[in-house]
Each structure stands twice: as C-alpha cells, then as structure tokens.
Amino acid sequence: MQEMDSHREQVADLTPVDGAAALGPFDRRNARYGLPLLVAIVVLLLVGAWLVRNLSATDWNPTMLVAVAAEEGPSLGYSRALLGDSVENRPGRGHDGRFFFVQANDPWLLEPHRHAAVLDRPVYRSQRMLYPTLASGFGLLEPWGAVWGLLAVSVVTISAGTYATALVARGMGASAWWGLAFGFNIGVVSELLVGGGGHLGFALVMFSIAAIQRGRLGWSVAALSGAVLAREVMLVATAGIVVWLWRQVGPKAALIHAVVPGAVVAAWAMYVRSRIGWMSGLAEVEEIGWPFVGFVQALEFWPNRPLSFAVGVAVLALLAVFTLRFIRSPGSLVGYAAIGFVPLAVLLTLQVWFNYFDITRAVSPVITAFLLMAFAAPNRDHEAPMEGTPSP
C-alpha cells in the first residue's frame, strides 16, 4: 500500500488537470463522464442509422449483415436448416459472421458434433467465445434471436468502445471527442461489415486502460479477462499493459494483470479441447508466417484491387510512424497496449493482407493509439492512475 501511495505522489504532477477540478462533486462527475457519454451516444445513433438503412434495403433480413452462410457448403446448409430459405448469400466466401452464428447456437459446446463440426477451424474459432455467447443470451436465444443478437452486441460494442476511448482521451488530458478514434476506426468499422467480433476485445482493452488511469485495477483485470475471451490476440495488448504496470506501478499489479487473464484464456482453451478434441490448435492458425511475406505476396494481387493496395501501403507506413511515436513517448499506456501489434502485423500472411478490411481489423489498436498519441495529446508521454488507490 505504501508503495502504491508513493507511486501516486511521484506521478501527481503528471496527472491531467482540467476544468473539472474546480467544480463541485455533481458537476465534476458530469465533466468527467457526461461528454464521453454524449460522444458514445452520437456514435450509437450513427451506427444505428447505418444499420436501419441496410436492413431496410434487405427487407429487414439481418443474415446479410452478419455474413451468415455466405457460400455453398456446410455453413449454408447449416444456417438454412435453422433459419429457413430466407438466408441471404453474401458474394464470395463470406466472413466471420457465419462462424459466430454457429457458435452462438452452442456457445458452451454442449453439442459440438452438431455445431462446432460446421466450423472450418473448430478449436481456433471456439477460443473466441465472448461475442457469440453474449449475442445468444448465454445460449438461451433461438437461432433468429442469435442473429439479431450478433447485430445488437456489435452496435453496443462500438458505442461502448467509443465511450471507453473518450475516457482514455480525458485521462490523457485531451477532449473526450477523441473517443471517435475508436468509433470511426476503419478496423472497427470493418468488424461490423464482416460480422467480426474483434471490436469487442478491443473495446474491453480500452476499458482496461481507462480503469488503470483511474486507479481501478480490479476492473482493469476483469476487462482484460473478457478481452482475451473475445479475441485471443488481445493477449498482445495485455502483455503491453503488464509491462507498463511493472514499470509504472509495481510488480504486484503487473503480475495480477498477467496471471488472471492468462489463466482465464488457458482454462477456456482446456475446456474447448475437452469438448472438441485434445489438439494444440496450432495447425489451424493460418494467419501467421514469415516476416513481410504476406505483404509481398499481396503486392501480386493489389494492382487489380486499388483500395486494398492503398490501405495496405498506408498500414505499413502507419506501423513505422507509430513505432517512432512510441519511442518518443516511452510512458504512454495506450502505446504499450498497441505496440505489440506492430511486430505481429509484419508476420501476418496473405490471408490477412489481401483485403483492406482484414488488415485494418488486425491493426485497429494501432490506429486508435496513434491518433490519441499523435493528435489528441501530442505533448503527453505518460498516463498514470488518476484517482483512488491503484490496488486490484
């Protein structure tokens, strides 16, 4: 406890100060949380309007928007068996939404022979359990309810992530309107377009950072535990946060942030294998390869895909610029949470670099972190616990 108090005193002069400090308790609360909430509501309304527009164009059939059964094959037959012939086919081979729909119908893997067997990579997909579990009401909803649930959770996630990012921006001494760095992040938008669930993990990481800024490390641990269940790659963000905590707060807080999320994801991984089969799952990972090989291979196809080419080159440039910004801001918590995605990105295969919506999803934490560090609070290089005793 004395160590924590000492740390707070050391960083007191680095804590952002704004007009809220001079207000009474009620006004201070509104100054801190009112504007972030407004920013989140704005994003909620915009995403909701986009959703209504697209649903009205498909006669209020949600299957197109979550990419359910996008190709002839097991997923199409599976979804039509549960939803009927009204299932919409998305051109091409579809995307993540069709698999999350399968998981939503059996989030606890109680009948893997019926549901998980439809997945292209059962162990790999089943590790990402939080999004389909929430969408299905923890397995209580019928198939059509699960389809609508996927959309509802996605919309709420983008709004909630915007709120968390607005809180983080305030913690960095910037305007809460920089919360839009989450809601308008092209990677987050891409998750919505393909029925993905990575934005849920990313939103929980931002909630973790906001909690750390306010000295609520117990909430931070809980948020990271959810993040790694939403998308296992958020272990990369967790590792960065652990390093920052070790340097800025102390080993106890860092170890708890490492052990608890790690134990949670490991326990779920063991459960998945007990239901599906005892295998490592490494053979199902198709997204990781040799450095820059995926980018170079994508260059062969990009001449006929100008948008993906432009975005791919921009992402590569962003990785370099963000790394330089991180070096110049050695105490940035958001920087530590995102820096691990830089080396990860250079290892990504053609499967990820090929389409602009896949590569932007893969580096979405870098996009938001760069905007916050470079433009929202360009002169700040340190975020520290703001209020309360930083104990788990």
Side-chain angles (χ1 to χ4, degrees):
M1 184 69 70
Q2 291 179 349
E3 179 185 351
M4 296 294 188
D5 291 339
S6 174
H7 168 72
R8 290 168 59 201
E9 293 173 2
Q10 292 172 8
V11 301
D13 59 326
L14 298 173
T15 299
V17 177
D18 56 33
L23 302 177
F26 177 78
D27 290 333
R28 286 181 64 188
R29 184 166 59 251
N30 283 336
R32 285 178 178 164
Y33 303 109
L35 185 55
L37 184 60
L38 174 61
V39 176
I41 291 173
V42 168
V43 169
L44 178 64
L45 293 175
L46 290 174
V47 175
W50 176 88
L51 186 62
V52 168
R53 179 178 179 274
N54 282 272
L55 285 173
S56 63
T58 60
D59 197 25
W60 301 96
N61 186 337
T63 56
M64 174 65 80
L65 293 178
V66 296
V68 171
E71 64 179 1
E72 289 290 343
S75 63
L76 180 58
Y78 172 89
S79 57
R80 282 184 171 167
L82 294 178
L83 301 173
D85 294 334
S86 61
V87 173
E88 292 279 351
N89 283 324
R90 180 174 293 192
R93 62 188 183 87
H95 225 292
D96 290 14
R98 57 187 171 143
F99 299 122
F100 281 124
F101 171 67
V102 174
Q103 292 176 252
N105 287 301
D106 186 24
W108 306 112
L109 298 171
L110 301 179
E111 298 179 288
H113 60 283
R114 179 185 174 196
H115 302 281
V118 181
L119 301 175
D120 61 338
R121 294 177 281 171
V123 171
Y124 175 81
R125 300 288 180 187
S126 296
Q127 289 175 164
R128 303 175 175 185
M129 59 81 69
L130 187 60
Y131 176 46
T133 300
L134 294 176
S136 66
F138 295 89
L140 298 177
L141 296 180
E142 296 296 322
W144 273 109
V147 173
W148 285 105
L150 290 169
L151 289 178
V153 171
S154 191
V155 172
V156 171
T157 291
I158 295 176
S159 179
T162 299
Y163 175 73
T165 305
L167 291 179
V168 170
R170 291 299 298 269
M172 298 173 69
S175 169
W177 285 104
W178 281 101
L180 298 177
F182 184 97
F184 289 168
N185 183 325
I186 185 174
V188 171
V189 174
S190 295
E191 294 283 7
L192 179 64
L193 295 177
V194 303
H199 51 351
L200 176 58
F202 182 23
L204 289 169
V205 167
M206 297 309 295
F207 271 108
S208 172
I209 295 173
I212 292 173
Q213 287 178 328
R214 286 150 183 80
R216 296 178 172 87
L217 299 193
W219 285 108
S220 173
V221 171
L224 286 181
S225 298
V228 297
L229 288 177
R231 192 177 183 188
E232 74 287 346
V233 76
M234 290 305 161
L235 286 168
V236 173
T238 301
I241 291 173
V242 166
V243 173
W244 185 93
L245 286 168
W246 189 285
R247 297 183 61 185
Q248 303 294 342
V249 177
K252 179 181 177 181
L255 288 174
I256 292 176
H257 277 73
V259 171
V260 176
V264 167
V265 75
W268 178 254
M270 293 290 287
Y271 177 77
V272 167
R273 285 156 178 78
S274 72
R275 301 300 304 171
I276 295 179
W278 293 97
M279 62 189 79
S280 68
L282 293 177
E284 295 185 356
V285 179
E286 303 172 352
E287 291 79 9
I288 302 297
W290 293 103
F292 295 106
V293 170
F295 177 84
V296 172
Q297 290 177 335
L299 289 173
E300 298 181 35
F301 300 92
W302 280 345
N304 297 322
R305 306 173 64 84
L307 178 57
S308 291
F309 171 72
V311 172
V313 172
V315 165
L316 191 63
L318 172 65
L319 297 177
V321 174
F322 174 72
T323 300
L324 293 176
R325 169 59 63 174
F326 175 78
I327 294 172
R328 292 175 53 191
S329 305
S332 174
L333 176 53
V334 293
Y336 270 89
I339 190 62
F341 290 91
V342 174
L344 180 65
V346 303
L347 297 175
L348 296 175
T349 61
L350 172 65
Q351 181 172 320
V352 183
W353 280 100
F354 183 75
N355 288 311
Y356 74 91
F357 47 80
D358 282 327
I359 188 57
T360 54
R361 292 193 307 147
V363 300
S364 57
V366 175
I367 297 172
T368 294
F370 176 73
L371 291 173
L372 292 176
M373 294 168 62
F375 302 106
N379 297 320
R380 287 191 56 79
D381 63 359
H382 191 112
E383 296 102 56
M386 292 174 56
E387 57 186 66
T389 301
S391 58

